[in-house]
Amino acid sequence: MVISKRVSQISPSPTLSITAKAKKMKIEGINVIGFGAGEPDFDTPLNIKEAAKEALDKGFTKYTPTSGIRELKEAIIEKLKKDNGLEYFPEEILVSCGAKHSIFNALLTLCEEEDEVILPSPYWVSYLEMIKITGAKAVLLKTDWKNNFKIDPQQLERVITPKTKLLILNTPSNPTGMVYTKKELTAISEILIKRSIFCLSDEIYEKLIYDGYKHVSIASLGGGIKNLTIVINGVSKAYSMTGWRIGYAAGPKEIIQAMSNLQDHSTSNPTSIAQYASIEALRGIQEDLRKMVEEFDKRRRYIVERINSINEVKVIKPNGTFYCWVNVKNLYGKSYNGCLIKDSLSLAELLLSEAKIAVVPGCVFGDDDYIRISYALSMEDIVEGINRFEEFISKLC
């Protein structure tokens, strides 16, 4: 066998064929409405782009320390203290090539074969594949509609074993958009402290929250949970900087140092210019962020109301992110022009070919009864896309 075991066991994404087909259709001039977007549809704010230009003009184009420039670490420390009530030192911060890279570093550093990682389902698609690469075992903890897709503490207790090393926590959540409250996080933290289990807290959607909810980092709750938590965040979602590839991790010094050692021999430093731009993102004016959240909120309220007005489908209003987690189970067993809808993947394929809308099937997130619909696209496209979705459903038999 030529391909290594660790790589060959990674599952290809079932959405690749849909994504490729959607792109091909657009190239051919077909008007496809893309509800699959995992990034804001807004441009990076001007002040951030200007900071990048200034960095270029000043010649900040060389290697930086692997773990990130001091100025950016200080900006991250200020942000964590101001927004989350967390205090860290520079040696407890690692800047990486996106939040995904930060998560990958953390999992490779903490997990090895025979370890168990508790992964609430539905989950962001890359968590599962990253766990596989470490050689650890993913223990799926299924959440459901009645609990707003959040971890039930008793359920968490039941899946813990002597081999449990880590819990992955994502709030606000991709794909469900749910946001954990302080009370809910406290119950989880007490279990983790009692059993000495680490928490990887992915908070990348922290700034995209609605309905008066407030983001709470589990690391801020006291009782020793901070020493067990690796906080993951970045600038991609809040500042529409997905392509800039800047994420960061904050955690215990020995873990962050080990993650930095790993990064030494993989990517070295994140892009120097993007690091300088990220300082401006964190410290600069936040008006563009505020406007973006307001617009997402308008789209969110519209799309939820429309979807819940359509027979056979339903959605819980998300409190964060820019995703709706739509229950489509009642469509299974129905047909469109003789084509049977068996699962979320066959539904997604039919929606693309017949309704010309692209969605992400829930199977890739660990729950086949749902599809993920993003509202990171214009209101005009949302209205047209939901019209097509409703018309498609009306023709099922």
Side-chain angles (χ1 to χ4, degrees), residues 6 9-10 103-104 107-108 111-120 123-140 166-168 200:
R6 73 174 64 87
Q9 69 182 352
I10 299 173
I103 295 166
F104 192 62
L107 289 174
L108 278 175
C111 301
E112 51 194 349
E113 292 192 20
E114 305 301 325
D115 284 340
E116 293 179 353
V117 177
I118 298 174
L119 179 60
Y123 47 75
W124 176 53
V125 295
S126 291
Y127 292 143
L128 182 61
E129 305 309 321
M130 290 182 187
I131 294 168
K132 288 180 183 178
I133 292 172
T134 69
K137 175 186 176 184
V139 177
L140 300 184
L166 178 77
L167 166 71
I168 293 181
L200 189 151

Side-chain angles (χ1 to χ4, degrees), residues 116-120 139-143 147 150-161 164 166-169 180 184-195 197-199 218 225:
E116 293 179 353
V117 177
I118 298 174
L119 179 60
V139 177
L140 300 184
L141 191 162
K142 186 170 176 57
T143 65
N147 284 331
K150 297 180 187 179
I151 298 169
D152 175 83
Q154 293 181 337
Q155 187 184 16
L156 176 59
E157 288 269 24
R158 287 195 295 269
V159 298
I160 293 174
T161 76
T164 303
L166 178 77
L167 166 71
I168 293 181
L169 183 68
Y180 281 83
E184 291 164 339
L185 291 173
T186 298
I188 293 170
S189 72
E190 289 172 352
I191 295 171
L192 299 181
I193 293 167
K194 180 175 67 176
R195 305 296 286 270
I197 295 168
F198 286 100
C199 179
I218 193 171
I225 189 63

Side-chain angles (χ1 to χ4, degrees), residues 120-122 141-156 158 173 176-181 184 188 213 316 319 325 370:
S121 170
L141 191 162
K142 186 170 176 57
T143 65
D144 55 33
W145 181 282
K146 70 178 188 298
N147 284 331
N148 289 328
F149 303 103
K150 297 180 187 179
I151 298 169
D152 175 83
Q154 293 181 337
Q155 187 184 16
L156 176 59
R158 287 195 295 269
S173 166
T176 68
M178 296 297 111
V179 177
Y180 281 83
T181 65
E184 291 164 339
I188 293 170
Y213 273 73
I316 297 177
N319 307 122
W325 187 234
Y370 294 79

Side-chain angles (χ1 to χ4, degrees), residues 18-32:
I18 294 176
T19 302
K21 186 176 180 181
K23 288 181 179 179
K24 183 174 182 293
M25 290 167 70
K26 287 184 177 181
I27 291 172
E28 293 170 350
I30 299 172
N31 180 17
V32 175

Side-chain angles (χ1 to χ4, degrees), residues 261-316:
N261 292 344
L262 173 63
Q263 191 165 302
D264 275 341
H265 301 289
S266 53
T267 62
S268 298
N269 63 276
T271 303
S272 58
I273 302 148
Q275 288 190 64
Y276 282 99
S278 297
I279 297 171
E280 176 62 24
L282 294 174
R283 286 180 171 168
I285 57 173
Q286 304 292 303
E287 183 63 15
D288 287 284
L289 168 60
R290 185 188 64 78
K291 290 179 179 178
M292 183 172 70
V293 173
E294 284 182 358
E295 180 59 29
F296 277 148
D297 187 26
K298 292 176 186 176
R299 300 174 187 178
R300 176 188 69 112
R301 286 184 276 112
Y302 173 82
I303 203 168
V304 168
E305 183 178 348
R306 281 292 310 276
I307 289 173
N308 281 332
S309 72
I310 301 172
N311 289 333
E312 308 292 357
V313 296
K314 58 183 180 178
V315 62
I316 297 177

Side-chain angles (χ1 to χ4, degrees), residues 74-86 203 206-207 215 233-234 239 248 282:
E74 289 173 350
I76 291 168
I77 289 169
E78 291 169 9
K79 179 262 174 237
L80 289 169
K81 185 172 183 179
K82 176 184 175 183
D83 293 349
N84 310 111
L86 290 166
E203 304 176 15
E206 168 194 11
K207 297 292 187 179
H215 173 73
N233 212 320
Y239 302 101
Y248 57 85
L282 294 174

